[in-house]
Amino acid sequence: MQIIERLITDIVVVGGGPSGLIAALAAAREGETVTLLERYGFLGGCATMSLVVPLMTFHAGDKQIIKGYAQELIERIAELNGTTGHIPDPLGVAGSITPVDTEVYKYVAQEMLLEAGVDLCYHSEVVDLVTANNLIKSLLVKTRSGFYQVEAAKYVDATGDGDLAYLSGNPIEIGRKEDGKCQPMTMMFKVGNVDLDKIIELTDRNPEDFLIHPGIDSLSQLKRVAISGFFKTVETARRKKELKVKRDRVLFFELDRRGVIGVNMSRVIDKTATKGFELSEATIEGRRQVFNIMEFFRKYLPGFADAVLLESGCQIGVRESRRIKGEYILTELDVITGRGFVDAVAQGSWPIDIHDPTGQELELKSLKWGDYYQIPYRCMLPQNTDNLIVTGRAISTTHQAFASTRVSPICMALGQAAGTAAAIARKEGVSFRDLPYHLLYQTLISKGQAIEPKTEGLSN
């Protein structure tokens, strides 16, 4: 194997999803030389490649708990009319949702990184790495012209699948404890020309068949409509075998333009995204389900007579794959009780949202309204590699806690912590494990992040 070139930088971030792009931004704004490696030709991760929008959630009740660079990103998107900003969740599941135009998201994220001086490398994928003495020494990166050897002082794993942690020999877990099965994958898709007024009329007449925030009298009051329901209709269509998807409801969200919705309804079970060719197999099945769902919409639902399929994700949405076993494992109890930590680096309030790995059920366990939990820095530290930090959905959690931490806003907050930690650790000449937490905390707060000391349920 011939190496075309050897590249040396201060910090390498692998993966340009919500966590990776914020990590690269944070490190670069601390004055570091940063290279971001992204396998696709755009940033944004699941929101842009898999159309997992709107973003959920920046708030705990009415209180905004995720700010910093994530909030700056939303404000920059809003300047180009790519979002209405944070709006109350019509379903009452979370404090807010944030619809975004995925094309504007791609552009704004890219420009923010380039303005900060990040060396942004699209169409670049890590295929192997070299380790020695509990350190990553270099990455082997595949491009269209061949292989590059990339070396850095600090490495940030923002792949979502824990690729660097896995390749460097750290303990990892996949799926739920009893059988290793992961939550289903979903092929998200956008539909246009939907007559939402007809759907609103139906929900007003039959509210018992829908999940609606108890404070909402009619969906017509909202800036953007969200639907979780049609339970009876779905049951009828499945009984007649006209809907072949193992799903108990219709779930969609109106996006950045009136009459355009994002559908979260397909369900590919018993596949693992990091196993063999199962990601490919899930993608094939997911696209088949999209067309079956569209047929169901047109036949069974009001407002879809003239609806058109606009696009599906370029990759199926992956809810769950690898997680590291870090210095601390965040648990379901930590999430539900709103636990605080002495080394907190991010906050979250999304419920434990488990899609049954083998069936159609959806389990939601919510925090008390307005409460939130914290994620400790130790959850980002793999056990065996001193110059690697893991961010995004692959941090150290249980299967249950993961069902809350996996969403984009929380991953953005974790990304700011990871990139900031990488910059400080390199400047101080210490491992991630020996990084003085007070320096990390002070820097995050100075850059606008919201991490408030919690006394209730505080854990060491």
Side-chain angles (χ1 to χ4, degrees), residues 11-21 23-24 35-38 126 129 136 139 154-172 274 321-325 379-382 385 387-396 411 414-415 417-419 422 432:
I11 295 167
V12 169
V13 179
V14 182
S19 207
L21 73 88
T35 298
L36 173 62
L37 305 173
E38 166 55 45
V126 175
L129 51 76
I136 294 176
L139 306 178
K154 304 296 178 185
Y155 297 83
V156 179
D157 185 341
T159 61
D161 296 317
D163 287 349
L164 299 192
Y166 171 73
L167 290 171
S168 54
N170 289 278
I172 57 108
T274 54
S321 59
R322 301 187 192 104
R323 308 183 305 276
I324 64 167
K325 294 178 70 173
C379 286
M380 307 175 79
L381 303 181
T385 309
N387 64 342
L388 174 65
I389 190 168
V390 177
T391 186
R393 72 169 188 245
I395 64 167
S396 178
C411 289
L414 289 167
F432 283 112

Side-chain angles (χ1 to χ4, degrees), residues 367-392:
L367 288 75
K368 294 178 182 177
W369 182 255
D371 201 2
Y372 59 94
Y373 62 93
Q374 295 182 324
I375 300 173
Y377 176 63
R378 288 162 289 165
C379 286
M380 307 175 79
L381 303 181
Q383 293 182 15
N384 297 340
T385 309
D386 294 334
N387 64 342
L388 174 65
I389 190 168
V390 177
T391 186

